[in-house]
């Protein structure tokens, strides 16, 4: 894959997508990067201010469920590959409103697959549909030292993970039925700059800043495997260029944290950086009713990715958390903008 490429990245104005777009735009000036995003509450063009004027970058506001528009975009930009991140991504929202998850994550993915199949046409030379999935499709683990490997059966529990699992099945079906060249990756929990402050880490940083309660679900004993978002973007770059078509790769940090222990690290770090005595904000911890169907433990085995393609996480967790907390505290305006919703009105006017 050394030639020029026209790559459609969906969901590029979101958290992970913006890091992927930035990496590809900066690292590959010979590629045209087309960022397609509907700019839902989670999409924010502020995330890409630093690269928005680069000659190899284009933003298109569109909905992945809109087939005619998607086909037009494939034609207009001569798209040869897709990195598909656009999704509804928050588990709590999926419990409240599962329909939008089925629509965006399942029908939206199917719409993109069908457009790619029709535009590219078999035998699909130099095309790739790279689908970004999650470890949540595997279900949950006990505290028994086991890990999710690529051959684990799917057992989603939340409407979010059920919708992601369904989209993964469609992606595989398009390979098995039509020969569409696909790759799927399943990644663990990401953290870092530009994450919407409804997810645990930015929500808690923001709440500590405002001296608001920190809602810990259940007893805070659930375990997640945390990966710095730039390491995920780096894995996507390697897999996009060197991954084996039709294969699946797990991406994870080998970095498991019990929620309550992670929360204490966040509190300690935020307090220190805000100049408060460390531990002041421990009093904000508030145990609340558990999330329905709350998966107990996620832990990814990414040995395959290390052995086959040489990827490993580059950042130690302590360093990643320090960097992340600093970023949110230095970008309080960003936090205020995304929580106020004003930025959407502003950018909608700009890109009309
Ligand atoms: P996010 O919610 O921050 O961003 C999602 C983006 O998709 C937003 O920019 C939003 O505007 C866009 N979008 C939503 N609906 C759309 C539609 N109908 N058409 C076009 N664009 C639309 O999500 P994220 O956390 O960056 O996750 C990105 C992808 O990675 C998702 O597919 C998610 O399932 C997956 N993933 C996330 C994590 C994580 O820890 N955040 C881990 C593993 C996998
Ligand atoms: O594992 C990958 C997944 O990680 C991604 O596919 C999802 O898109 C992403 O949102 C994330 O899902 P989680 O549900 O694990 O992330 P969240 O930040 O919502 O929650 C992390 C843990 O913290 C989880 O055990 C629930 C708990 N939690 C979360 C929130 C928002 C709380 O205790 N209190 C909270 O207020």
């Amino acid at each position: 894959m050394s030639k020029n490429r026209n790559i459609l990245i969906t969901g590029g104005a979101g958290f992970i997508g913006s890091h992927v777009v930035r990496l590809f735009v900066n690292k590959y000036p010979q590629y045209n990067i087309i960022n397609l995003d509907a700019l839902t509450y989670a999409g924010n063009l502020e995330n890409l201010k630093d690269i928005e004027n680069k000659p190899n970058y284009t933003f298109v506001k569109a909905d992945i469920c809109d087939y005619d528009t998607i086909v037009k975009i494939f034609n207009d930009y001569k798209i040869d590959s897709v990195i598909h991140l656009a999704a509804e991504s928050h588990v709590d929202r999926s419990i409240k409103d599962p329909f939008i998850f089925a629509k965006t994550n399942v029908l939206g993915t199917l719409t993109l697959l069908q457009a790619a199949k029709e535009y590219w046409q078999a035998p699909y030379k130099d095309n790739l549909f790279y689908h970004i999935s999650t470890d949540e499709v595997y279900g949950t683990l006990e505290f028994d030292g086991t890990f999710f490997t690529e051959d684990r059966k799917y057992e989603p529990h939340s409407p979010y993970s059920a919708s992601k699992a369904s989209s993964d099945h469609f992606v595989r079906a398009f390979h098995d039925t039509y020969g569409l060249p696909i790759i799927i990756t399943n990644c663990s929990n990401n953290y870092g700059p530009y994450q919407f402050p409804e997810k645990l880490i930015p929500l808690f940083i923001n709440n500590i800043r405002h001296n608001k309660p920190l809602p810990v679900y259940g007893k805070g004993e659930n375990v997640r495997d945390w990966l710095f978002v730039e390491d995920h973007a780096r894995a996507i770059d390697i897999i996009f260029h060197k991954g084996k078509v039709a294969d699946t790769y797990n991406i994870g940090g080998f970095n498991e944290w019990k929620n309550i222990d992670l929360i204490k690290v966040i509190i300690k770090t935020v307090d220190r950086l805000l100049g408060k005595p460390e531990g002041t904000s421990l009093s904000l911890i508030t145990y609340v009713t558990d999330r329905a169907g709350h998966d107990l433990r996620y832990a990814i085995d990414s040995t395959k990715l290390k052995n086959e393609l040489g990827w490993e996480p580059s950042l130690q967790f302590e360093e990643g958390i320090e960097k992340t907390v600093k970023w949110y505290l230095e970008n309080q305006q960003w936090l205020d903008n995304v929580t106020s919703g004003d930025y959407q009105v502003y950018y909608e006017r700009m890109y009309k």
Side-chain angles (χ1 to χ4, degrees):
M1 265 200 208
S2 58
K3 69 177 187 78
N4 287 357
R5 304 197 68 95
N6 299 320
I7 306 172
L8 183 69
I9 301 185
T10 70
F15 166 48
I16 302 171
S18 63
H19 289 275
V20 176
V21 166
R22 178 175 298 100
L23 187 151
F24 273 71
V25 165
N26 286 332
K27 187 168 171 187
Y28 302 107
Q30 74 275 28
Y31 293 174
N32 293 313
I33 304 301
I34 295 89
N35 171 14
L36 183 162
D37 198 295
L39 298 183
T40 68
Y41 78 96
N44 182 0
L45 291 173
E46 280 288 333
N47 300 0
L48 292 164
K49 269 260 161 250
D50 53 324
I51 56 114
E52 69 181 4
N53 294 321
K54 296 261 178 167
N56 64 335
Y57 172 71
T58 307
F59 172 71
V60 184
K61 185 172 179 211
D63 184 336
I64 54 167
C65 301
D66 176 354
Y67 184 74
D68 291 345
T69 302
I70 298 297
V71 169
K72 185 169 181 325
I73 291 166
F74 270 81
N75 276 287
D76 286 353
Y77 297 99
K78 302 187 171 33
I79 299 300
D80 55 57
S81 343
V82 175
I83 304 178
H84 174 37
L85 297 108
E88 287 293 333
S89 68
H90 191 41
V91 174
D92 294 329
R93 283 180 188 256
S94 82
I95 295 168
K96 284 214 176 76
D97 180 10
F99 282 95
I100 184 71
F101 283 74
K103 182 165 183 261
T104 299
N105 299 356
V106 186
L107 287 178
T109 302
L110 179 56
T111 304
L112 285 166
L113 286 163
Q114 181 71 7
K117 173 173 91 67
E118 291 301 306
Y119 179 72
W120 291 341
Q121 298 282 325
Y124 308 116
K125 199 167 169 295
D126 284 335
N127 299 126
L128 179 64
F129 191 102
Y130 180 173
H131 178 61
I132 307 299
S133 190
T134 170
D135 60 359
E136 301 202 10
V137 297
Y138 296 127
T140 188
L141 295 163
E142 294 299 321
F143 292 123
D144 57 3
T146 56
F147 291 88
F148 294 137
T149 48
E150 285 84 357
D151 55 5
R152 190 170 178 105
K153 79 174 161 93
Y154 275 29
E155 210 173 347
H157 295 125
S158 72
Y160 163 69
S161 53
S163 70
K164 291 295 290 186
S166 171
S167 67
D168 294 6
H169 291 317
F170 271 107
V171 174
R172 272 195 203 96
F174 266 65
H175 172 265
D176 296 349
T177 308
Y178 309 112
L180 197 78
I182 61 110
I183 288 180
I184 299 177
T185 54
N186 299 78
C187 189
S188 63
N189 285 63
N190 284 216
Y191 71 98
Y194 301 113
Q195 186 168 33
F196 196 84
E198 63 186 353
K199 308 280 167 62
L200 181 75
I201 292 182
L203 174 74
F204 276 38
I205 297 171
N206 201 26
N207 281 11
I208 296 170
R209 178 166 86 88
H210 290 294
N211 216 27
K212 281 172 41 183
L214 305 174
V216 179
Y217 298 163
K219 293 183 180 152
E221 282 177 347
N222 304 66
V223 168
R224 296 293 181 267
D225 170 7
W226 294 93
L227 178 69
F228 191 64
V229 63
E230 288 177 10
D231 274 330
H232 186 189
R234 210 166 39 77
I236 291 172
D237 175 17
I238 294 170
I239 293 162
F240 177 82
H241 289 96
K242 297 189 182 148
K244 205 166 120 216
V245 167
D247 229 343
T248 293
Y249 299 88
N250 279 352
I251 309 172
F254 284 115
N255 179 40
E256 290 179 56
W257 283 82
K258 201 181 263 196
N259 287 344
I260 192 66
D261 295 335
L262 171 69
I263 288 162
K264 286 179 181 161
V265 172
I266 297 168
I267 289 173
K268 209 168 124 184
T269 313
V270 180
D271 279 350
R272 176 169 46 78
L273 292 173
L274 285 177
K276 296 183 192 173
E278 272 181 24
T280 308
S281 305
L282 282 170
S283 61
L284 297 174
I285 289 179
T286 310
Y287 290 92
V288 298
T289 309
D290 207 353
R291 173 184 276 173
H294 198 171
D295 287 332
L296 183 64
R297 173 176 166 252
Y298 301 148
I300 275 282
D301 180 347
S302 51
T303 310
K304 173 178 169 181
L305 182 54
K306 181 181 173 193
N307 290 347
E308 292 187 10
L309 302 181
W311 176 90
E312 276 185 284
S314 69
L315 213 63
Q316 289 296 315
F317 189 60
E318 291 66 24
E319 205 186 324
I321 277 291
E322 181 84 11
K323 223 171 145 168
T324 301
V325 172
K326 267 194 184 139
W327 187 87
Y328 285 99
L329 296 182
E330 283 165 8
N331 289 276
Q332 302 198 6
Q333 194 59 52
W334 182 91
L335 273 173
D336 292 342
N337 289 350
V338 298
T339 41
S340 79
D342 283 345
Y343 73 91
Q344 282 215 5
V345 179
Y346 171 67
Y347 276 104
E348 251 159 44
R349 257 190 258 121
M350 268 188 64
Y351 284 94
K352 217 168 179 178

